[in-house]
Amino acid sequence: MISKVITGKSFYGCCRYVCADEQRAEILEAEGVRDYSYRHMGNDFEMSRQQLPDKRKAVFHGILSFYPGEQLTNEALTQIGREYLEKLGVTNTQYVITKHTDTDHLHLHIIANLVNNRGKVILDNWIGLRGKKAAQQLTQKYQLIPAIEKKIALTNLQALNQEEVARYEIFQAIEAVLLRCKTLPTLEKELMKKGIDVQYKYKGDTQQLQGISFKKGLYAFKGSSIDRKYSIAGLQKSMQQQITQEQKQSNRRGMRL
């Protein structure tokens, strides 16, 4: 088992990415937030974060990846998730432990609030390194397949983990810029600033758009695999809604003059 920790600003976006797709996500445990809706969950996290509004990056997002084929019960996964947070000092706070089953390797996504229930900040210094050490300790405790065992390539396990991180980082980037993009070229330009390439798929030899994909580093994903709203049809719909909304606002301003 290996660990990767990301800290961020948007609870709503993180909850949506991790929990919205019920075909791949199974929430194992939620503490202090509503688990039946990612929207309510994000709101609950955000309400608690407001105790300390100056804490900009209050989102803890930990990813624990297990070796392909390794299977554990939900009870064991939940316990591992709890102990992982405890070892990192992420305690007395809201959290959600979610299992993803959309790849050939089991992995957990753990969202937690770095503003605890008393309105105090949870220190996140060296949290990525501490997460890796915690994963190593839990691997040994629960007799999981260690990343350094013979015939198991550590780099392959890291690649599995990094692929999920790249997918989430692309999701975050699209979410951050989409509201100010009314065309696909504008979106492409904004994402390029963040190191993300946009690639299009056309129908046959025509110029009719059929699909879109995003690439960051070594990893490329279809838009729909990032989020169903980020398919080519979903993006075009979002952009058209923005244009329509602006036109309505402009018309209302004109009527007032």
Side-chain angles (χ1 to χ4, degrees):
M1 179 178 69
I2 59 175
S3 159
K4 177 69 177 181
V5 176
I6 306 167
T7 57
K9 302 175 184 177
S10 173
F11 278 111
Y12 172 83
C14 190
C15 292
R16 175 179 152 198
Y17 174 79
V18 172
C19 302
D21 189 348
E22 296 180 357
Q23 293 184 346
R24 70 170 181 166
E26 181 181 353
I27 297 174
L28 302 181
E29 184 167 272
E31 178 65 36
V33 296
R34 289 168 284 184
D35 63 359
Y36 55 84
S37 162
Y38 73 86
R39 293 183 177 87
H40 292 317
M41 183 187 296
N43 288 338
D44 292 341
F45 274 120
E46 188 59 40
M47 284 290 290
S48 186
R49 187 246 287 273
Q50 290 306 315
Q51 299 177 93
L52 200 63
D54 291 339
K55 175 65 175 174
R56 295 182 68 232
K57 285 194 171 185
V59 182
F60 169 92
H61 180 187
I63 303 169
L64 291 177
S65 298
F66 299 83
Y67 188 74
E70 193 165 43
Q71 297 297 321
L72 291 89
T73 66
N74 285 351
E75 291 75 14
L77 290 171
T78 303
Q79 184 61 29
I80 288 171
R82 290 193 203 113
E83 292 186 34
Y84 175 72
L85 288 175
E86 186 175 348
K87 287 180 179 294
L88 292 177
V90 183
T91 58
N92 189 30
T93 193
Q94 300 163 305
Y95 68 83
V96 177
I97 301 172
T98 304
K99 176 175 73 172
H100 274 200
T101 56
D102 58 329
T103 63
D104 62 357
H105 70 290
L106 180 65
H107 54 288
L108 292 180
H109 288 265
I110 304 174
I111 307 170
N113 201 333
L114 292 177
V115 176
N116 70 21
N117 296 329
R118 295 181 296 170
K120 303 295 184 181
V121 67
I122 295 173
L123 297 179
D124 59 0
N125 53 309
W126 302 103
I127 200 165
L129 179 60
R130 291 190 284 120
K132 291 177 181 179
K133 291 182 178 179
Q136 292 171 355
Q137 292 168 355
L138 291 168
T139 295
Q140 185 175 19
K141 176 177 179 179
Y142 287 94
Q143 298 183 335
L144 305 176
I145 299 175
I148 57 174
E149 185 173 304
K150 289 182 181 180
K151 299 181 181 179
I152 297 176
L154 172 60
T155 53
N156 289 343
L157 280 176
Q158 288 175 329
L160 291 171
N161 187 273
Q162 291 298 327
E163 181 179 12
E164 185 64 23
V165 171
R167 189 201 304 262
Y168 178 59
E169 289 176 340
I170 292 171
F171 170 86
Q172 284 184 308
I174 297 173
E175 186 166 82
V177 304
L178 185 57
L179 286 179
R180 60 176 182 267
C181 298
K182 301 180 187 64
T183 65
L184 289 171
T186 305
L187 176 64
E188 184 177 354
K189 183 178 179 180
E190 290 294 324
L191 292 178
M192 193 175 298
K193 296 176 185 176
K194 298 176 179 289
I196 298 169
D197 293 325
V198 178
Q199 300 170 339
Y200 301 101
K201 180 181 179 183
Y202 297 91
K203 186 175 182 180
D205 295 327
T206 72
Q207 290 299 305
Q208 181 181 343
L209 276 175
Q210 193 174 40
I212 190 169
S213 61
F214 303 93
K215 184 178 181 182
K216 184 176 175 65
L218 299 174
Y219 306 105
F221 308 92
K222 293 190 299 182
S224 58
S225 74
I226 299 295
D227 190 282
R228 282 176 291 181
K229 294 182 180 180
Y230 297 154
S231 65
I232 191 66
L235 289 169
Q236 290 173 327
K237 180 180 178 181
S238 174
M239 291 172 181
Q240 185 56 51
Q241 286 174 341
Q242 290 180 57
I243 293 171
T244 301
Q245 184 65 25
E246 283 199 4
Q247 288 174 342
K248 288 180 179 178
Q249 291 174 351
S250 179
N251 291 339
R252 284 196 293 267
R253 285 195 296 269
M255 292 174 64
R256 289 196 296 267
L257 296 176

